[in-house]
Amino acid sequence: MTFKDLGLSEKVLKAVADAGYKTPTEIQKQAIPPALEGKDVLGLAQTGSGKTAAFVLPMLMRLERGRARARMPRTLILEPTRELAAQVHDAFKILGKEHKLKVALLIGGVSFDEQSRIIDRGADVLIATPGRLLDHFERGRLLLTGIEILVIDEADRMLDMGFIPDIERIVKLLPVTRQTLFFSATMPEEIQHLTARFLHLPVTVQAQPPSSTAETIDQRLVMAPVEEKAKRAKLREVIDARKDDIRNAIIFANRKKTVEILAKSLHKHGYNAGALHGDMDQYERLETLQKFRDGEITYLVASDVAARGLDIPEVSHVFNYDVPVSPEDYVHRIGRTGRAGREGTAITLVTPEDYKALVAIEKLIGKDIPWEGEAPSEEEIAAAVSGRRKKRRKPAKAKKAGAKGGEPSKTGKAGAETGKSTEKAAQADGDGRKKKRRRRRRKKKPAAAAFTPQKEQAPAGKTGGKTGEDTPAADAPAGGFTGDTLPAFLARPVNGES
Ligand code: AMP
């Protein structure tokens, strides 16, 4: 199948050819035809699958007809992080070069006034992180009633980062007649509920099962000590063993602090390393990313903020300095290598504390990852897993947190880092506190307490834009509803209360 077979216009086909795309990827083959028919699309696809073009190309076709009016953009793309939004902006520059479109990028850390000026002139495309978009809307600089196509990209990442309430607010501001293209790498239950509400009779398309890892990736496990200094030495040993093969590498760590320390340490030992995590300002992050793309930095030490969004087609190696707490993150992390049929290598350092997480990863990807060098016995792994389970059962509080929020944080410090599970653990902690408060309130006001929702959580800060879009909710205090996230039904008096 060629791009021409997909029913794209001459202008679009020219831009696609100039971009060097020869044949459509699986997700493009499946998503573009229904999107061109105006249908809603639910796409299960990861970064690297070509999903950006899968929504950009049909949007370009739609935008060939009609034009934007002042402050009334015609299409909206929501992205969870500034980096992803900037990448989609770049894709429009390349794929939309034959179309004279006005594209506004609404992300934190970039001049508000400049963004407003583009909107005032009439933007064809808005690419935004949810927080910054709401900021513009709340300042009265933007009308969303002219949106013809909405794209929600990396929905599961939005969920991880606590953006779903923002997205729900935004969707309510859009016309119901819009077309919605919705992409997610995984489909947790919360995302399934969202798709049921946001999409109308969607056509579901899938690039590859979200739990699978590319066959072109050589995956390895290496036993590592728990103690950080010795573990850093182990990482250097692992790197040195394949130094000649490494063109560039991403080294993932679970905590921002670890990212910083590790990057500094590698640098000190003579490795060309840079750090990337959510606490760095926008300028620093874009600069580091660019250096990595340009090959000025060989080793990019990153937290999971970078795991899904980076569009770097040529990473030769991924190192997991820490085993990710959530098995899906393993798939996303190592998906940075072995892309588009290329060979890639993914090496994971495993301490005895990680055996349980490792078992979950192998279960998810449906295969055993081979050990390089020394390997623990199956009994050791089984004993470590069951031993820790017993430990966790002891303190009643910890058990509650684990049960409600999924995997408890490996360190026990809930909310310390960017991972989904740590965030959930932080929320679970919040749940515990909330439950106590609720019990106290129930004694006083039984009716009001009965209406406190069990599952919903306030997002990080008020909106992502104000707090930095890619700072996950884990870094913000978990707790009850605050400010503008308080649902109206909770504010209403109940059962005669005044
Ligand atoms: P994405 O999954 O959208 O982040 O795309 C990953 C990479 O694949 C980007 O560098 C795209 O430019 C590239 N790409 C997208 N579609 C194609 C295609 N049909 N042929 C070759 N490369 C592509």
Side-chain angles (χ1 to χ4, degrees):
M1 184 184 270
T2 65
F3 277 104
K4 205 164 184 185
D5 300 331
L6 296 177
L8 296 164
S9 70
E10 286 305 317
K11 271 190 192 177
V12 175
L13 289 174
K14 178 165 189 327
V16 164
D18 289 350
Y21 299 177
K22 301 230 164 13
T23 47
T25 65
E26 195 52 40
I27 198 77
Q28 289 162 2
K29 277 185 217 161
Q30 293 181 38
I32 292 174
L36 287 177
E37 284 175 37
K39 291 185 180 149
D40 283 1
V41 172
L42 170 56
L44 266 159
Q46 305 174 20
T47 305
S49 60
K51 71 180 162 63
T52 312
F55 61 76
V56 169
L57 300 181
M59 286 174 81
L60 289 172
M61 295 276 293
R62 175 73 160 253
L63 291 166
E64 285 178 4
R65 303 187 302 271
R67 58 192 294 272
R69 283 182 284 162
R71 294 192 188 179
M72 286 185 72
R74 295 182 60 193
T75 58
L76 170 64
I77 302 169
L78 292 173
E79 293 288 339
T81 67
R82 298 160 185 174
E83 283 83 8
L84 275 169
Q87 275 166 31
V88 173
H89 193 216
D90 289 345
F92 263 98
K93 282 186 205 150
I94 296 167
L95 299 171
K97 75 180 182 52
E98 301 295 319
H99 300 70
K100 291 189 177 57
L101 297 176
K102 288 195 209 85
V103 182
L105 180 64
L106 307 189
I107 53 176
V110 174
S111 156
F112 208 93
D113 289 339
E114 179 53 32
Q115 295 173 348
S116 277
R117 268 196 291 279
I118 302 177
I119 298 171
D120 286 349
R121 275 185 259 134
D124 297 290
V125 185
L126 272 193
I127 306 165
T129 46
R132 187 47 87 101
L133 181 81
L134 285 171
D135 282 353
H136 277 271
F137 182 80
E138 278 157 10
R139 290 186 197 195
R141 309 300 299 256
L142 188 60
L143 276 172
L144 293 170
T145 44
I147 296 289
E148 296 164 39
I149 302 181
L150 165 70
V151 176
I152 299 178
D153 195 17
E154 306 254 345
D156 51 355
R157 186 107 184 103
M158 302 265 198
L159 175 73
D160 287 355
M161 296 170 71
F163 287 159
I164 298 304
D166 280 355
I167 300 209
E168 288 181 331
R169 279 184 67 198
I170 292 166
V171 169
K172 280 193 194 128
L173 304 171
L174 307 178
V176 283
T177 51
R178 69 174 191 271
Q179 180 184 10
T180 306
L181 310 176
F182 189 105
F183 290 87
S184 192
T186 55
M187 272 293 154
E189 211 178 307
E190 296 95 323
I191 296 292
Q192 288 173 34
H193 290 318
L194 275 192
T195 58
R197 281 165 45 214
F198 292 173
L199 298 167
H200 177 66
L201 301 176
V203 175
T204 302
V205 298
Q206 185 163 4
Q208 54 170 194
S211 58
S212 66
T213 50
E215 289 303 320
T216 50
I217 306 174
D218 180 19
Q219 303 176 56
R220 300 287 160 122
L221 304 173
V222 173
M223 273 182 89
V226 176
E227 199 274 314
E228 292 290 327
K229 197 160 183 246
K231 195 177 174 189
R232 287 197 292 272
K234 186 72 191 175
L235 176 71
R236 292 196 299 276
E237 189 187 308
V238 169
I239 291 175
D240 290 348
R242 44 186 58 77
K243 216 163 187 175
D244 294 342
D245 298 332
I246 297 175
R247 197 171 49 249
N248 57 359
I250 305 183
I251 303 170
F252 284 104
N254 287 356
R255 302 164 62 88
K256 293 171 198 164
K257 195 100 208 119
T258 316
V259 169
E260 271 175 18
I261 295 170
L262 189 54
K264 271 191 199 136
S265 159
L266 284 169
H267 194 75
K268 203 179 84 193
H269 282 87
Y271 297 80
N272 181 7
L276 192 80
H277 60 72
D279 274 356
M280 289 160 64
D281 71 33
Q282 168 75 347
Y283 177 78
E284 282 176 316
R285 282 193 296 178
L286 290 179
E287 198 188 24
T288 306
L289 260 182
Q290 199 51 46
K291 281 186 183 163
F292 188 58
R293 282 198 192 101
D294 295 344
E296 281 178 50
I297 290 174
T298 311
Y299 299 95
L300 184 68
V301 188
S303 65
D304 282 291
V305 160
R308 299 196 189 180
L310 293 184
D311 178 20
I312 304 162
E314 308 231 346
V315 178
S316 70
H317 287 67
V318 166
F319 295 96
N320 286 313
Y321 176 78
D322 293 316
V323 175
V325 187
S326 131
E328 286 85 7
D329 281 338
Y330 176 82
V331 179
H332 290 294
R333 285 180 182 188
I334 75 159
R336 304 304 93 213
T337 187
R339 295 165 82 174
R342 291 189 189 93
E343 298 280 303
T345 306
I347 316 269
T348 302
L349 299 192
V350 184
T351 75
E353 292 184 356
D354 301 320
Y355 292 158
K356 184 173 187 282
L358 176 64
V359 169
I361 288 167
E362 290 184 330
K363 190 166 166 229
L364 179 74
I365 64 171
K367 61 181 172 196
D368 289 347
I369 309 168
W371 289 86
E372 190 172 273
E374 206 188 337
S377 67
E378 278 182 20
E379 291 74 36
E380 274 176 295
I381 294 183
V385 171
S386 58
R388 259 184 305 139
R389 258 196 215 123
K390 265 183 216 143
K391 228 196 245 169
R392 264 211 317 278
R393 272 195 207 115
K394 262 192 215 158
K397 268 186 201 163
K399 186 184 164 195
K400 265 186 201 165
K404 189 136 178 98
E407 291 276 320
S409 148
K410 219 169 39 171
T411 56
K413 289 177 196 161
E417 176 47 38
T418 59
K420 170 164 50 179
S421 306
T422 43
E423 178 203 346
K424 283 186 177 170
Q427 289 186 341
D429 262 11
D431 270 359
R433 284 196 296 276
K434 270 203 314 187
K435 269 189 187 160
K436 269 192 193 162
R437 280 203 298 276
R438 240 179 269 142
R439 270 199 296 273
R440 277 202 295 274
R441 267 206 308 271
R442 209 174 284 143
K443 279 185 192 157
K444 284 189 200 161
K445 292 183 181 176
F451 275 81
T452 308
Q454 297 289 310
K455 281 201 170 157
E456 289 176 88
Q457 288 286 333
K462 262 167 120 190
T463 63
K466 287 164 195 157
T467 53
E469 284 81 357
D470 45 4
T471 304
D475 292 332
F481 292 106
T482 55
D484 56 3
T485 62
L486 185 77
F489 78 92
L490 273 181
R492 280 202 305 268
V494 247
N495 290 359
E497 214 190 335
S498 60

